[in-house]
Amino acid sequence: MEEQKSVNFMRLLSEESTQSTVSSDSCEYYQMEIFDLLPSVQASRPEPSRSVEQGGAESQARLGHGPLSQGPRDKASTQPLRNLALCMQGKRAARDMRKMQISSIGFWKSWRQSQSTNMKRLWEQMGSAVAGLLPWRHTLHRIEGRFGVGVKAYFVFLRYLVFLNLLHCALTAGFILGPTLVYGRGNDSKPLTFESNDSVLDFFLGSGYLDRSPVFFGYYTRGSLDQKCLNTPLLYFIGILTILFLSLIMVVRRTTVGYKHTQMLGKRYSTNLCYKILCGWDFTIQDPAGAVLKQSFIRNDLRLFLEEQSFSLREAQRTLGQKVRLCLLRLALNLMVLSLLGGAFYFIYFSTEISLHEDGHHWLLSLFLQYLPPMTITFVNLVLPHIFRKISSFEDYSVTTQVNVTLVRSIFLKLASLGIYLFFILTNTKNEQHHCRENQFGREMYKLCIFNFLATFSSVFLLNFPRKLVQEWYPSSAVARRLGKQHFLIPFNVLDLVYGQTVSWVGVYYCPLLPLIGTVTLVATFYIKKFSVLRCCVAEHRMFRASSSSVFFHFMLLLGLLLAGVTLGFNLRQQEDRNTSPCGPFPGDQTVLKVTETCVGSLPSMVQTILRYLASEAFALPLILAEIIILTSYVSRGRANQKAIDRLKDMLVMSSSDKVFLVRQHATLLRGQRKRQRVAQDAPVLQQRDASS
């Protein structure tokens, strides 16, 4: 009975409840009885035959002293008082409680806690200061206020690629360009000067002066830095590997962070409607027109959700004959998609063959033939995704599935077209005695990068902007009505960024300054797209769901990085088979493998033994076992966290049920009190009537 009296519940105070005639002892007993009748307590009992007192005590211990209840309390104890969601009286009480805790523990522990709190605050302030120094912050805020978070996500992704390419530039300057400029090139290297046959077209074709400049592979030769483990070829190869490895780490990290955020949301509980209605408003909107558009976003998103629900219901009601006919239709449409992809690949092969064997034409025709493969790839990537979108509308998918199917086909088109083009170049490049094969491959990547930027510039200033002017000057004309309003298509624009970054990764070995060129083009692309969005486009009335999630876009970057790694490995394998190269840091028979073996052979015997063991099959077994243990620990931790999240979600659901139950009990209690008061007020009147009668 003493344990029951220690329970303290906050009662609902009102004018009726404060006039209750029930004693305090009966109130405590009634509160314990209500506590045992709560839905959360009833659901937490493993055995229905458990007594009321035992269930109440265990529920109180579990809810009040469980491990889940300690987490927020410990986290709140390290936060500043101004960040706590409490009133001034509550903050004063929290401050007094912290002072009591400090006085109750030792000096050393209190000092460690204060230092830990100060360091956390310092890191938070440094993070906010660094976030304030990010470029284009006000521009992104303006775009977000007018077009929402989806369009802003594209520009944030573009800014991330700019930072990534700046890191590549720093690594290129430290490992490749810096040692060559400081220690010089080989004795037989010619000085870099303009020649009589150089022209302005060389900056578009990558030939002539640019072919002899530090832009391409052939410029970097062995100089005075020619030690066994510290030489220009080895630094060149280590720089390229560092660029690819750091890119892999950064992309995988952002992909896993986004995937973890998606997994933490969970799929057991359908929170779509409650999130859209209660938490769907964007408080960063400043424009009244943007507020109206956000309302239309929420309305159309709810309509889209209802359409998907009706589609799921219609899909469940299909007969066997309808399913068979639909499968045959989808099979025919997929065969059509494969035919379009095969035709696109054949056009790329045909244009590549013409470009590689052109010679002796007029300079204008020669320029056109040199850019024929990039133009073909750009044309294919521009037209076929819209055809894929039309085809997916006939396959009877839901709206979200149609968007995803179109994106998957477009991704395969872009990466496969680039891969086919790289394969044709690697297998058909001329291999002459005085011809630098790596420079030729680098020129192709250079032309792809330049033409991709020219296509972006032309599409905005030669198509979108004139179209907007026609709509402004002649709004009632038939041409303006037929053209319609322009919208910023987020998935296709992101695919263009992924394609450009993939080209940069593929060509960085053959064109070391390609990240610098990519940085300049990306910065210019930012301002071009900013002009296109703010001047030419209107906000979408239908929200693209995948635009707010960066997992899909970073996964595409990961596929592009994998394509770059495969291309580099294939080219290095071909270099080992040829065993000769007339240019670059690996001249003659000095291949990457031989330079690495020479460096390893000059190391001490113990280091050589360790390196040979790490490269042998004997090290593979413990490495695999360690990976299995690490992955198992992460999987176990993830499952435990998922269970904790599910328990917290169950607690939230049961707390809402408890609130409804308590409100009903309170209403019942108030009705009983009113009835007793009414009976007490009517009793003297009835006694007077009985006395008079």
Side-chain angles (χ1 to χ4, degrees), residues 142-144 146-147 151-152 154-155 460 464 468 486-489 493 526-539:
R142 180 184 176 190
I143 292 174
E144 182 183 11
R146 288 186 55 183
F147 296 90
V151 179
K152 178 194 173 183
Y154 165 81
F155 289 93
V460 172
N464 297 340
K468 183 66 176 180
Q486 301 181 53
H487 301 286
F488 191 79
L489 301 178
N493 283 279
F526 183 92
Y527 289 103
I528 291 173
K529 292 297 182 179
K530 171 190 171 183
F531 174 80
S532 176
V533 168
L534 298 178
R535 182 66 179 85
C536 305
C537 297
V538 296

Side-chain angles (χ1 to χ4, degrees), residues 595-607:
V595 171
T596 307
E597 289 179 351
T598 303
C599 176
V600 173
S602 64
L603 296 175
S605 58
M606 182 180 295
V607 179

